[in-house]
Amino acid sequence: MTVYSGPVFEMAVNQFGVIADHLAIPADERDRLLMPKRAIVVSCPIHRDDGTIAVYEGYRVQHHLTLGPTKGGTRFASSVDLGEVAALAIWMSWKCALVGLPYGGAKGGIAVDPAAISKRELEALSRRYMQEMIPFVGPHTDVMAPDMGTNEQVMAWFMDTYSMYQGRTVTEIVTGKPVASGGTLGRREATGRGVAHLAKRVLKELAIDLNGATAVIQGFGNVGSYAALELHRFGLKIIAVSDHTGALYNKAGLDIPALMRHTAEHGSIKGFSSEMQYDPADIFTTACDVLVPAAMERAIDGPMAEKLQCRVLAEGANGPTTPEADLVLEKRQDEIFLIPDILCNSGGVVVSYFEWVQDLQQLFWEEEEVMRREYQILDRAFDQMVMRAKLDRIPHRTAAMAIGVEKVRAAKNTRGLFP
Ligand code: GLU
């Protein structure tokens, strides 16, 4: 029996099962590695603008505390539930371990559509959520960050709320803050840049010319937009983009800087162009060199995986590809090069780690240094994944996750079981 349920949690369990079988982890060791250490559920009451009181359910799951504090984003979305948050926390653990960060995974969220409440209500809810979490988080216990539906402003409110209760400024309690409030240069762009950097590496290995190569981006939030911008800078044509309001297509390549200005002003890609309208249902099946799913989990299922027409699948989102789709991709390994989520989007948490380190030391880096170190870590993890996949004759996802799980397992086994 477990309190965690739902399709996303099941997906994380299934994926772990594949890895545990591959690593021949004994049955009695598996739950210790997989099941989250703590789950916190809180009620967050706020005054609505009309004077009524509304209560929102908030969650935080801390997967393991073996390697240091837990680390991970906070998601504001109607679909958020405990099972989804737990799965995302588990994935954060494998991600942090794969790239060598001294963290366990965590994730949090509130079941709310942030677009459906006012800015004042959003601030009240963000502050109340952090206030409810104070007994369970800390710079050396659990460090939050942005995720879907949250941004730098929400992180600034989190940091301010925590700091007011401490009676001093504690910037190191969250990452992804505005640079003006102790954030680091390069964090906003970090995830998208990492996705584009790795996609570029693979294109070069496949001898595909960057100039004129094509990309399709599903999701135009923080990750998708900066991945698109960076790929655009590398010379790729971004031929299709989608978000929750629709999709755009232009064979000659979309003007990504203009589209980013539009979304900054209007909140979505809606209204950018009437001529370039595209059916969002066709986004994944559009022929392209690089496909970047950068929205929700489980977007690519088995039948969809059969229909993909990309050379590189660069997973910007967490968990965009189901285990059934993985089986299809395994058969298509020579056609589609997979850069799995825990590697592909890890640039975000890598630069969050840099932000935390800078805040703890009060010594701040130039953006070039942030980027150089980010790419160094991504390249090393990429090399390790590719080598492991070749050596063990396993798909990239299995290789990446195996490296992550192995590191957590080694830490747990060398520390032993207390008491
Ligand atoms: N939410 C992001 C992720 O899923 C970033 C987490 C962080 O920076 O701590 O990787």
Side-chain angles (χ1 to χ4, degrees), residues 165-245:
Y165 276 87
Q166 299 297 316
R168 65 188 176 90
T169 298
V170 188
T171 51
E172 59 273 26
I173 183 62
V174 294
T175 60
K177 300 177 295 294
V179 173
S181 300
T184 181
L185 295 166
R187 173 62 185 87
R188 185 188 299 172
E189 301 85 356
T191 315
R193 273 184 185 155
V195 170
H197 174 81
L198 292 172
K200 180 171 80 172
R201 258 197 78 158
V202 175
L203 286 177
K204 284 193 173 160
E205 274 175 35
L206 298 177
I208 296 173
D209 191 358
L210 297 181
N211 260 310
T214 55
V216 169
I217 315 281
Q218 178 242 7
F220 208 67
N222 176 265
V223 179
S225 63
Y226 281 103
L229 186 67
E230 197 70 353
L231 290 170
H232 170 81
R233 270 191 353 97
F234 294 157
L236 278 84
K237 284 192 287 186
I238 316 302
I239 55 170
V241 163
S242 72
D243 75 0
H244 62 287
T245 63

